Amino acid sequence: MFAFNQRTMTPSGMTAADAVARTAAGDTVLVDVRDPSELASGGKAKGAINIPSATLMMRADPRSPECVPELKDGKPIAVYCASGARSAMAKQMLERMGHAEVHNIGGLGHWRRAGGEVE
């Protein structure tokens, strides 16, 4: 289970470097839970789909007709936000929806430091 080290606020579990490699290989679905205004000002991780945390219940639940197709095939999911706090909540929500493998990789900065591209 993912947890933050409370002293450093760095993610544990699947690392951002793991997510960069696994997303590039097509083995993991990368989800950005930030708001559209945040994407407009700072971009998003290459290959990420944007599902703002406010719409996660509707767009990520496999039982919902609004669920994005990428989340219906059972692939592992890596989520991130700006700092890792919203993605921690998103991880819990996705697990409650029945997604078997969900990882919080922290924030977009973690992705960048791991060598991930931003578009």
Side-chain angles (χ1 to χ4, degrees):
M1 180 173 220
F2 178 86
F4 273 96
N5 177 322
Q6 293 301 314
R7 291 184 186 173
T8 62
M9 289 302 289
T10 56
S12 59
M14 178 190 282
T15 66
D18 294 336
V20 169
R22 291 177 66 173
T23 300
D27 297 334
T28 297
V29 178
L30 183 63
V31 177
D32 182 327
V33 297
R34 296 175 304 144
D35 295 329
S37 63
E38 292 173 282
L39 271 68
S41 67
K44 70 176 180 71
K46 184 176 180 180
I49 57 173
N50 177 238
I51 305 175
S53 55
T55 64
L56 199 61
M57 286 293 291
M58 177 179 59
R59 297 190 58 219
D61 188 338
R63 298 167 298 213
S64 169
E66 303 292 325
C67 185
V68 296
E70 296 89 341
L71 297 179
K72 290 186 176 185
D73 64 5
K75 283 185 182 178
I77 301 168
V79 293
Y80 74 91
C81 61
S83 67
R86 281 177 288 175
S87 51
M89 291 184 288
K91 176 188 182 301
Q92 292 174 349
M93 190 180 302
L94 289 164
E95 289 172 337
R96 284 193 304 269
M97 290 177 201
H99 293 284
E101 187 179 345
V102 184
H103 303 276
N104 177 0
I105 62 163
L108 183 60
H110 293 99
W111 174 266
R112 284 186 173 140
R113 285 190 295 278
E117 293 182 52
V118 175
E119 51 188 19

